[in-house]
Amino acid sequence: MTDDDATLLPATKTETALDIAAFVGSAVPWIGGPVSNVLGGMSLGRKLSRVREVLLGLASGLSEFKSEVSEKYVKTEEFEELLEQTLKRAAEERTEEKRRIYAAFLTDVIESPGEPYDEQIRFLRTLEELQPDHLRLLRALCQAPGPKPGMMGSPNQTLRRRLPELDEARIADLLSQLNDLRVTNLTSLKVMMTGHGAEDLRHSVTSYGQRFLRYTIQTPL
């Protein structure tokens, strides 16, 4: 069995938080300390496998990454608190796709430190609110227009075509929720406009929402 094979093995029932911390520390030594500190103070029980999944994703994302700035950052109290907040949410998250986003978020935080802690927590709170259908809608909004848009159309028609599994009422409800979270700012779904205008909805994703989009593209649903 190779080392790569070992990383793919499922967690055993007897695997402990310290076992996971030791594995992550062996893969990325400089992040092992903060991971051990956080896991040592958490009582995860049956949710431990979800945290394991996120941490393995983090270790994979950082396997080739080196930065003195990042190594110093992960030793700070601020990062340890952020790691704890993220893993607690991941432990409660039943959706695999969102757990992958939590891993991508932690990887990004470590690779590019500097964003204020309160903004990072805001992001986590918003992500906690998002359902897989929200993320699908976000990706649909950011698709580029087709090569031959019609003469006229509406955002509603475009989204119904891109998301055939969702009915009109569901799309409207999801969009309203995204607007409330300041992830999008599209309020008129049925307004008629040029075909190109109805197809190009990328502008409706806010600058805040672009970050969710980036993680969503990295972790296909």
Side-chain angles (χ1 to χ4, degrees), residues 9-75:
L9 290 176
T12 66
K13 291 183 179 179
T14 58
E15 187 171 39
T16 68
L18 293 181
D19 292 330
I20 296 174
F23 178 85
V24 173
S26 67
V28 188
W30 49 274
I31 199 177
V35 169
S36 296
N37 291 342
V38 170
L39 290 188
M42 296 176 70
S43 177
L44 300 169
R46 64 182 177 82
K47 299 175 183 177
L48 186 60
S49 62
R50 296 173 182 172
V51 173
R52 178 184 191 271
E53 180 184 326
V54 171
L55 288 174
L56 291 184
L58 174 62
S60 176
L62 295 174
S63 61
E64 303 296 327
F65 178 75
K66 298 289 183 182
S67 166
E68 291 185 5
V69 173
S70 295
E71 290 188 30
K72 290 179 180 179
Y73 171 64
V74 300
K75 296 176 182 177

Short mmCIF file of all heavy atoms in Angstrom, two decimals, residues 9-75:
data_model
loop_
_atom_site.label_atom_id
_atom_site.label_comp_id
_atom_site.label_asym_id
_atom_site.label_seq_id
_atom_site.Cartn_x
_atom_site.Cartn_y
_atom_site.Cartn_z
N LEU A 9 -8.16 5.89 2.73
CA LEU A 9 -8.86 4.94 3.58
C LEU A 9 -9.91 5.64 4.42
O LEU A 9 -9.69 6.75 4.91
CB LEU A 9 -7.87 4.23 4.51
CG LEU A 9 -6.90 3.24 3.83
CD1 LEU A 9 -5.93 2.71 4.86
CD2 LEU A 9 -7.67 2.09 3.20
N PRO A 10 -11.07 5.02 4.61
CA PRO A 10 -12.10 5.64 5.45
C PRO A 10 -11.68 5.64 6.90
O PRO A 10 -10.85 4.84 7.34
CB PRO A 10 -13.32 4.72 5.23
CG PRO A 10 -12.71 3.39 4.86
CD PRO A 10 -11.48 3.73 4.07
N ALA A 11 -12.25 6.57 7.67
CA ALA A 11 -11.95 6.63 9.10
C ALA A 11 -12.50 5.38 9.78
O ALA A 11 -13.56 4.89 9.44
CB ALA A 11 -12.58 7.88 9.70
N THR A 12 -11.76 4.85 10.75
CA THR A 12 -12.24 3.72 11.52
C THR A 12 -13.05 4.21 12.70
O THR A 12 -12.97 5.37 13.10
CB THR A 12 -11.07 2.88 12.04
OG1 THR A 12 -10.33 3.65 12.99
CG2 THR A 12 -10.14 2.47 10.90
N LYS A 13 -13.82 3.29 13.30
CA LYS A 13 -14.66 3.68 14.43
C LYS A 13 -13.82 4.07 15.64
O LYS A 13 -14.28 4.81 16.51
CB LYS A 13 -15.61 2.53 14.78
CG LYS A 13 -16.68 2.27 13.73
CD LYS A 13 -17.62 1.17 14.18
CE LYS A 13 -18.71 0.93 13.13
NZ LYS A 13 -19.63 -0.15 13.53
N THR A 14 -12.59 3.55 15.69
CA THR A 14 -11.75 3.83 16.85
C THR A 14 -10.82 5.00 16.63
O THR A 14 -10.05 5.36 17.51
CB THR A 14 -10.91 2.59 17.21
OG1 THR A 14 -10.11 2.23 16.08
CG2 THR A 14 -11.81 1.42 17.60
N GLU A 15 -10.86 5.60 15.45
CA GLU A 15 -9.98 6.73 15.18
C GLU A 15 -10.35 7.90 16.08
O GLU A 15 -11.52 8.23 16.25
CB GLU A 15 -10.08 7.14 13.71
CG GLU A 15 -9.07 8.21 13.32
CD GLU A 15 -9.06 8.44 11.83
OE1 GLU A 15 -10.14 8.43 11.22
OE2 GLU A 15 -7.98 8.63 11.26
N THR A 16 -9.36 8.53 16.65
CA THR A 16 -9.59 9.63 17.58
C THR A 16 -9.20 10.95 16.95
O THR A 16 -8.56 11.01 15.90
CB THR A 16 -8.77 9.44 18.86
OG1 THR A 16 -7.36 9.57 18.53
CG2 THR A 16 -9.03 8.07 19.48
N ALA A 17 -9.57 12.02 17.63
CA ALA A 17 -9.19 13.36 17.16
C ALA A 17 -7.68 13.48 17.11
O ALA A 17 -7.12 14.10 16.19
CB ALA A 17 -9.79 14.41 18.09
N LEU A 18 -6.97 12.88 18.06
CA LEU A 18 -5.52 12.97 18.08
C LEU A 18 -4.90 12.20 16.91
O LEU A 18 -3.86 12.60 16.38
CB LEU A 18 -4.99 12.43 19.41
CG LEU A 18 -5.34 13.27 20.64
CD1 LEU A 18 -4.75 12.65 21.90
CD2 LEU A 18 -4.85 14.72 20.48
N ASP A 19 -5.54 11.09 16.51
CA ASP A 19 -5.06 10.36 15.33
C ASP A 19 -5.12 11.25 14.09
O ASP A 19 -4.20 11.27 13.27
CB ASP A 19 -5.90 9.11 15.09
CG ASP A 19 -5.72 8.06 16.17
OD1 ASP A 19 -4.62 7.99 16.74
OD2 ASP A 19 -6.69 7.33 16.44
N ILE A 20 -6.22 11.96 13.95
CA ILE A 20 -6.40 12.84 12.79
C ILE A 20 -5.39 13.98 12.83
O ILE A 20 -4.77 14.33 11.83
CB ILE A 20 -7.84 13.39 12.74
CG1 ILE A 20 -8.83 12.24 12.54
CG2 ILE A 20 -7.99 14.42 11.62
CD1 ILE A 20 -10.27 12.66 12.63
N ALA A 21 -5.21 14.57 14.02
CA ALA A 21 -4.24 15.66 14.17
C ALA A 21 -2.84 15.18 13.82
O ALA A 21 -2.06 15.90 13.17
CB ALA A 21 -4.29 16.20 15.59
N ALA A 22 -2.50 13.96 14.24
CA ALA A 22 -1.18 13.41 13.95
C ALA A 22 -0.99 13.23 12.45
O ALA A 22 0.09 13.51 11.90
CB ALA A 22 -0.98 12.09 14.68
N PHE A 23 -2.04 12.75 11.76
CA PHE A 23 -1.94 12.56 10.32
C PHE A 23 -1.74 13.89 9.61
O PHE A 23 -0.87 14.03 8.74
CB PHE A 23 -3.18 11.86 9.77
CG PHE A 23 -3.15 11.69 8.28
CD1 PHE A 23 -2.51 10.60 7.71
CD2 PHE A 23 -3.72 12.64 7.44
CE1 PHE A 23 -2.44 10.45 6.33
CE2 PHE A 23 -3.66 12.49 6.07
CZ PHE A 23 -3.02 11.39 5.51
N VAL A 24 -2.57 14.89 9.96
CA VAL A 24 -2.44 16.20 9.32
C VAL A 24 -1.08 16.79 9.61
O VAL A 24 -0.43 17.38 8.74
CB VAL A 24 -3.57 17.14 9.81
CG1 VAL A 24 -3.34 18.55 9.28
CG2 VAL A 24 -4.92 16.62 9.35
N GLY A 25 -0.59 16.62 10.84
CA GLY A 25 0.72 17.14 11.20
C GLY A 25 1.85 16.48 10.44
O GLY A 25 2.86 17.13 10.12
N SER A 26 1.68 15.20 10.11
CA SER A 26 2.72 14.52 9.33
C SER A 26 2.72 14.99 7.88
O SER A 26 3.76 15.03 7.23
CB SER A 26 2.52 13.00 9.40
OG SER A 26 1.33 12.61 8.72
N ALA A 27 1.53 15.35 7.37
CA ALA A 27 1.42 15.81 5.99
C ALA A 27 1.86 17.26 5.83
O ALA A 27 2.54 17.63 4.87
CB ALA A 27 -0.02 15.65 5.50
N VAL A 28 1.47 18.11 6.79
CA VAL A 28 1.83 19.53 6.78
C VAL A 28 2.28 19.88 8.20
O VAL A 28 1.48 20.34 9.01
CB VAL A 28 0.65 20.43 6.35
CG1 VAL A 28 1.11 21.87 6.17
CG2 VAL A 28 0.00 19.91 5.06
N PRO A 29 3.53 19.64 8.54
CA PRO A 29 3.99 19.76 9.93
C PRO A 29 3.69 21.10 10.59
O PRO A 29 3.34 21.15 11.77
CB PRO A 29 5.50 19.53 9.81
CG PRO A 29 5.66 18.69 8.58
CD PRO A 29 4.59 19.17 7.64
N TRP A 30 3.79 22.19 9.85
CA TRP A 30 3.66 23.49 10.48
C TRP A 30 2.23 23.85 10.85
O TRP A 30 2.00 24.85 11.54
CB TRP A 30 4.27 24.58 9.60
CG TRP A 30 3.87 24.56 8.16
CD1 TRP A 30 4.44 23.85 7.16
CD2 TRP A 30 2.81 25.30 7.55
NE1 TRP A 30 3.80 24.10 5.97
CE2 TRP A 30 2.81 24.99 6.17
CE3 TRP A 30 1.87 26.21 8.03
CZ2 TRP A 30 1.91 25.54 5.27
CZ3 TRP A 30 0.98 26.77 7.13
CH2 TRP A 30 1.00 26.43 5.78
N ILE A 31 1.24 23.04 10.42
CA ILE A 31 -0.14 23.31 10.84
C ILE A 31 -0.62 22.29 11.87
O ILE A 31 -1.72 22.41 12.42
CB ILE A 31 -1.08 23.33 9.62
CG1 ILE A 31 -2.39 24.05 9.97
CG2 ILE A 31 -1.38 21.92 9.13
CD1 ILE A 31 -3.35 24.19 8.82
N GLY A 32 0.23 21.33 12.18
CA GLY A 32 -0.17 20.28 13.12
C GLY A 32 -0.49 20.80 14.51
O GLY A 32 -1.42 20.31 15.16
N GLY A 33 0.26 21.79 14.99
CA GLY A 33 0.03 22.32 16.33
C GLY A 33 -1.35 22.92 16.52
O GLY A 33 -2.09 22.53 17.43
N PRO A 34 -1.74 23.88 15.65
CA PRO A 34 -3.09 24.46 15.79
C PRO A 34 -4.20 23.42 15.66
O PRO A 34 -5.20 23.48 16.37
CB PRO A 34 -3.14 25.48 14.63
CG PRO A 34 -1.73 25.83 14.36
CD PRO A 34 -0.95 24.58 14.62
N VAL A 35 -4.04 22.46 14.74
CA VAL A 35 -5.06 21.43 14.57
C VAL A 35 -5.20 20.60 15.84
O VAL A 35 -6.30 20.31 16.30
CB VAL A 35 -4.73 20.52 13.36
CG1 VAL A 35 -5.63 19.30 13.34
CG2 VAL A 35 -4.89 21.30 12.06
N SER A 36 -4.07 20.22 16.44
CA SER A 36 -4.10 19.44 17.70
C SER A 36 -4.79 20.23 18.80
O SER A 36 -5.58 19.67 19.57
CB SER A 36 -2.67 19.08 18.12
OG SER A 36 -2.07 18.22 17.19
N ASN A 37 -4.48 21.51 18.90
CA ASN A 37 -5.08 22.34 19.96
C ASN A 37 -6.59 22.40 19.82
O ASN A 37 -7.33 22.30 20.81
CB ASN A 37 -4.50 23.75 19.92
CG ASN A 37 -3.05 23.80 20.33
OD1 ASN A 37 -2.54 22.87 20.96
ND2 ASN A 37 -2.36 24.86 19.96
N VAL A 38 -7.08 22.59 18.59
CA VAL A 38 -8.52 22.72 18.36
C VAL A 38 -9.22 21.38 18.56
O VAL A 38 -10.23 21.29 19.27
CB VAL A 38 -8.80 23.28 16.96
CG1 VAL A 38 -10.28 23.18 16.63
CG2 VAL A 38 -8.35 24.73 16.87
N LEU A 39 -8.71 20.32 17.96
CA LEU A 39 -9.37 19.03 18.08
C LEU A 39 -9.33 18.51 19.51
O LEU A 39 -10.27 17.84 19.96
CB LEU A 39 -8.71 18.01 17.16
CG LEU A 39 -8.93 18.20 15.65
CD1 LEU A 39 -8.37 17.01 14.89
CD2 LEU A 39 -10.39 18.39 15.32
N GLY A 40 -8.27 18.83 20.24
CA GLY A 40 -8.18 18.37 21.61
C GLY A 40 -9.26 18.94 22.50
O GLY A 40 -9.62 18.35 23.53
N GLY A 41 -9.82 20.09 22.12
CA GLY A 41 -10.85 20.73 22.94
C GLY A 41 -12.25 20.52 22.43
O GLY A 41 -13.20 21.12 22.93
N MET A 42 -12.41 19.65 21.41
CA MET A 42 -13.73 19.45 20.82
C MET A 42 -14.22 18.03 21.11
O MET A 42 -13.46 17.07 21.07
CB MET A 42 -13.68 19.66 19.31
CG MET A 42 -13.32 21.07 18.89
SD MET A 42 -13.16 21.26 17.09
CE MET A 42 -14.86 21.10 16.59
N SER A 43 -15.50 17.91 21.42
CA SER A 43 -16.12 16.60 21.60
C SER A 43 -17.01 16.35 20.38
O SER A 43 -18.11 16.89 20.29
CB SER A 43 -16.96 16.59 22.88
OG SER A 43 -17.63 15.36 23.03
N LEU A 44 -16.51 15.57 19.43
CA LEU A 44 -17.16 15.46 18.12
C LEU A 44 -17.98 14.18 17.95
O LEU A 44 -18.91 14.15 17.18
CB LEU A 44 -16.10 15.53 17.02
CG LEU A 44 -15.29 16.83 17.01
CD1 LEU A 44 -14.12 16.70 16.07
CD2 LEU A 44 -16.16 18.00 16.60
N GLY A 45 -17.61 13.11 18.66
CA GLY A 45 -18.35 11.87 18.54
C GLY A 45 -18.46 11.40 17.10
O GLY A 45 -17.47 11.33 16.37
N ARG A 46 -19.69 11.07 16.67
CA ARG A 46 -19.90 10.50 15.33
C ARG A 46 -19.64 11.51 14.22
O ARG A 46 -19.55 11.14 13.05
CB ARG A 46 -21.33 10.00 15.22
CG ARG A 46 -22.39 11.08 15.34
CD ARG A 46 -23.79 10.49 15.28
NE ARG A 46 -24.82 11.49 15.46
CZ ARG A 46 -25.27 12.28 14.47
NH1 ARG A 46 -24.76 12.16 13.27
NH2 ARG A 46 -26.22 13.16 14.71
N LYS A 47 -19.50 12.79 14.55
CA LYS A 47 -19.26 13.81 13.54
C LYS A 47 -17.78 13.97 13.23
O LYS A 47 -17.40 14.80 12.40
CB LYS A 47 -19.86 15.14 14.00
CG LYS A 47 -21.37 15.07 14.20
CD LYS A 47 -21.93 16.35 14.77
CE LYS A 47 -23.44 16.21 15.01
NZ LYS A 47 -24.02 17.41 15.64
N LEU A 48 -16.96 13.16 13.88
CA LEU A 48 -15.52 13.28 13.68
C LEU A 48 -15.12 13.04 12.23
O LEU A 48 -14.20 13.67 11.72
CB LEU A 48 -14.79 12.28 14.59
CG LEU A 48 -13.27 12.37 14.63
CD1 LEU A 48 -12.82 13.74 15.10
CD2 LEU A 48 -12.70 11.28 15.52
N SER A 49 -15.81 12.14 11.53
CA SER A 49 -15.45 11.84 10.14
C SER A 49 -15.63 13.06 9.25
O SER A 49 -14.89 13.22 8.27
CB SER A 49 -16.28 10.68 9.61
OG SER A 49 -17.65 10.99 9.61
N ARG A 50 -16.59 13.93 9.56
CA ARG A 50 -16.78 15.14 8.76
C ARG A 50 -15.60 16.09 8.92
O ARG A 50 -15.12 16.69 7.96
CB ARG A 50 -18.08 15.83 9.16
CG ARG A 50 -19.33 15.01 8.89
CD ARG A 50 -20.57 15.67 9.45
NE ARG A 50 -21.77 14.85 9.24
CZ ARG A 50 -22.94 15.12 9.76
NH1 ARG A 50 -23.10 16.19 10.54
NH2 ARG A 50 -23.98 14.34 9.52
N VAL A 51 -15.15 16.21 10.17
CA VAL A 51 -13.99 17.07 10.43
C VAL A 51 -12.75 16.47 9.78
O VAL A 51 -11.92 17.19 9.21
CB VAL A 51 -13.79 17.24 11.95
CG1 VAL A 51 -12.50 17.98 12.25
CG2 VAL A 51 -14.97 17.99 12.55
N ARG A 52 -12.62 15.18 9.85
CA ARG A 52 -11.50 14.49 9.21
C ARG A 52 -11.47 14.80 7.72
O ARG A 52 -10.41 15.08 7.15
CB ARG A 52 -11.64 12.98 9.42
CG ARG A 52 -10.55 12.13 8.76
CD ARG A 52 -10.87 10.67 8.99
NE ARG A 52 -9.78 9.79 8.61
CZ ARG A 52 -9.60 9.28 7.40
NH1 ARG A 52 -10.46 9.58 6.43
NH2 ARG A 52 -8.58 8.48 7.13
N GLU A 53 -12.63 14.75 7.09
CA GLU A 53 -12.73 15.03 5.65
C GLU A 53 -12.23 16.43 5.32
O GLU A 53 -11.48 16.63 4.35
CB GLU A 53 -14.18 14.87 5.23
CG GLU A 53 -14.47 15.11 3.77
CD GLU A 53 -15.95 15.02 3.46
OE1 GLU A 53 -16.65 14.20 4.12
OE2 GLU A 53 -16.42 15.77 2.59
N VAL A 54 -12.64 17.41 6.12
CA VAL A 54 -12.21 18.80 5.89
C VAL A 54 -10.72 18.95 6.09
O VAL A 54 -10.02 19.59 5.30
CB VAL A 54 -13.00 19.76 6.81
CG1 VAL A 54 -12.41 21.17 6.74
CG2 VAL A 54 -14.48 19.78 6.43
N LEU A 55 -10.18 18.35 7.14
CA LEU A 55 -8.76 18.48 7.42
C LEU A 55 -7.90 17.77 6.39
O LEU A 55 -6.81 18.24 6.05
CB LEU A 55 -8.46 17.96 8.83
CG LEU A 55 -8.98 18.86 9.96
CD1 LEU A 55 -8.76 18.19 11.31
CD2 LEU A 55 -8.30 20.22 9.93
N LEU A 56 -8.37 16.65 5.87
CA LEU A 56 -7.62 15.99 4.80
C LEU A 56 -7.62 16.84 3.54
O LEU A 56 -6.63 16.90 2.81
CB LEU A 56 -8.21 14.61 4.51
CG LEU A 56 -8.03 13.54 5.60
CD1 LEU A 56 -8.58 12.20 5.13
CD2 LEU A 56 -6.57 13.40 5.99
N GLY A 57 -8.75 17.51 3.28
CA GLY A 57 -8.80 18.43 2.15
C GLY A 57 -7.84 19.59 2.35
O GLY A 57 -7.18 20.03 1.41
N LEU A 58 -7.76 20.09 3.58
CA LEU A 58 -6.83 21.17 3.90
C LEU A 58 -5.39 20.72 3.71
O LEU A 58 -4.58 21.42 3.10
CB LEU A 58 -7.06 21.64 5.34
CG LEU A 58 -6.09 22.68 5.89
CD1 LEU A 58 -6.16 23.97 5.10
CD2 LEU A 58 -6.37 22.92 7.37
N ALA A 59 -5.07 19.54 4.23
CA ALA A 59 -3.71 19.02 4.10
C ALA A 59 -3.34 18.83 2.63
O ALA A 59 -2.22 19.13 2.22
CB ALA A 59 -3.59 17.70 4.86
N SER A 60 -4.29 18.34 1.83
CA SER A 60 -4.04 18.16 0.42
C SER A 60 -3.79 19.49 -0.28
O SER A 60 -2.88 19.63 -1.10
CB SER A 60 -5.22 17.44 -0.23
OG SER A 60 -5.05 17.33 -1.64
N GLY A 61 -4.59 20.50 0.08
CA GLY A 61 -4.45 21.81 -0.53
C GLY A 61 -3.14 22.49 -0.19
O GLY A 61 -2.63 23.31 -0.97
N LEU A 62 -2.57 22.16 0.96
CA LEU A 62 -1.34 22.81 1.41
C LEU A 62 -0.10 21.96 1.20
O LEU A 62 0.99 22.36 1.60
CB LEU A 62 -1.46 23.16 2.90
CG LEU A 62 -2.51 24.19 3.28
CD1 LEU A 62 -2.59 24.31 4.80
CD2 LEU A 62 -2.21 25.55 2.66
N SER A 63 -0.25 20.80 0.59
CA SER A 63 0.86 19.84 0.52
C SER A 63 2.09 20.40 -0.19
O SER A 63 3.22 20.04 0.14
CB SER A 63 0.40 18.55 -0.16
OG SER A 63 -0.04 18.81 -1.49
N GLU A 64 1.89 21.28 -1.17
CA GLU A 64 3.02 21.85 -1.92
C GLU A 64 3.25 23.31 -1.59
O GLU A 64 4.05 23.97 -2.25
CB GLU A 64 2.76 21.69 -3.43
CG GLU A 64 2.53 20.25 -3.90
CD GLU A 64 3.74 19.37 -3.69
OE1 GLU A 64 4.87 19.90 -3.78
OE2 GLU A 64 3.57 18.18 -3.41
N PHE A 65 2.55 23.82 -0.58
CA PHE A 65 2.60 25.25 -0.29
C PHE A 65 3.61 25.55 0.81
O PHE A 65 3.66 24.86 1.83
CB PHE A 65 1.21 25.74 0.14
CG PHE A 65 1.16 27.21 0.51
CD1 PHE A 65 1.18 28.18 -0.47
CD2 PHE A 65 1.10 27.60 1.84
CE1 PHE A 65 1.14 29.53 -0.14
CE2 PHE A 65 1.05 28.94 2.18
CZ PHE A 65 1.07 29.90 1.18
N LYS A 66 4.41 26.60 0.61
CA LYS A 66 5.38 27.04 1.61
C LYS A 66 5.34 28.56 1.74
O LYS A 66 5.36 29.26 0.73
CB LYS A 66 6.81 26.61 1.22
CG LYS A 66 7.02 25.10 1.13
CD LYS A 66 7.00 24.46 2.50
CE LYS A 66 7.28 22.97 2.40
NZ LYS A 66 7.23 22.31 3.73
N SER A 67 5.26 29.06 2.97
CA SER A 67 5.26 30.50 3.18
C SER A 67 5.58 30.78 4.64
O SER A 67 4.90 30.27 5.53
CB SER A 67 3.91 31.11 2.82
OG SER A 67 3.80 32.43 3.32
N GLU A 68 6.62 31.58 4.89
CA GLU A 68 6.95 31.94 6.28
C GLU A 68 5.85 32.77 6.91
O GLU A 68 5.55 32.62 8.10
CB GLU A 68 8.27 32.72 6.30
CG GLU A 68 9.50 31.89 5.95
CD GLU A 68 10.79 32.67 6.11
OE1 GLU A 68 10.73 33.83 6.59
OE2 GLU A 68 11.86 32.12 5.76
N VAL A 69 5.21 33.62 6.10
CA VAL A 69 4.12 34.45 6.63
C VAL A 69 2.97 33.55 7.08
O VAL A 69 2.40 33.74 8.17
CB VAL A 69 3.63 35.44 5.55
CG1 VAL A 69 2.36 36.18 6.02
CG2 VAL A 69 4.73 36.45 5.23
N SER A 70 2.62 32.58 6.28
CA SER A 70 1.53 31.68 6.62
C SER A 70 1.87 30.82 7.83
O SER A 70 1.02 30.57 8.70
CB SER A 70 1.19 30.78 5.43
OG SER A 70 0.69 31.54 4.35
N GLU A 71 3.12 30.37 7.91
CA GLU A 71 3.53 29.55 9.04
C GLU A 71 3.45 30.33 10.35
O GLU A 71 3.10 29.78 11.40
CB GLU A 71 4.95 29.01 8.82
CG GLU A 71 5.02 27.97 7.71
CD GLU A 71 6.37 27.29 7.62
OE1 GLU A 71 7.03 27.17 8.67
OE2 GLU A 71 6.76 26.87 6.52
N LYS A 72 3.74 31.60 10.30
CA LYS A 72 3.60 32.45 11.50
C LYS A 72 2.13 32.68 11.82
O LYS A 72 1.73 32.68 12.99
CB LYS A 72 4.31 33.79 11.28
CG LYS A 72 5.82 33.70 11.24
CD LYS A 72 6.45 35.06 11.01
CE LYS A 72 7.97 34.96 10.96
NZ LYS A 72 8.61 36.29 10.70
N TYR A 73 1.34 32.87 10.78
CA TYR A 73 -0.09 33.16 10.99
C TYR A 73 -0.81 32.01 11.66
O TYR A 73 -1.63 32.21 12.56
CB TYR A 73 -0.74 33.49 9.64
CG TYR A 73 -2.25 33.60 9.72
CD1 TYR A 73 -2.86 34.59 10.49
CD2 TYR A 73 -3.06 32.69 9.04
CE1 TYR A 73 -4.25 34.68 10.57
CE2 TYR A 73 -4.44 32.78 9.11
CZ TYR A 73 -5.02 33.77 9.88
OH TYR A 73 -6.39 33.84 9.98
N VAL A 74 -0.53 30.77 11.25
CA VAL A 74 -1.27 29.64 11.82
C VAL A 74 -0.94 29.42 13.29
O VAL A 74 -1.64 28.66 13.97
CB VAL A 74 -1.02 28.33 11.03
CG1 VAL A 74 -1.47 28.49 9.59
CG2 VAL A 74 0.42 27.87 11.12
N LYS A 75 0.09 30.08 13.80
CA LYS A 75 0.44 29.95 15.22
C LYS A 75 -0.25 31.01 16.08
O LYS A 75 -0.08 31.02 17.30
CB LYS A 75 1.96 30.05 15.39
CG LYS A 75 2.72 28.92 14.71
CD LYS A 75 4.22 29.11 14.83
CE LYS A 75 4.98 28.00 14.10
NZ LYS A 75 6.45 28.21 14.15
#
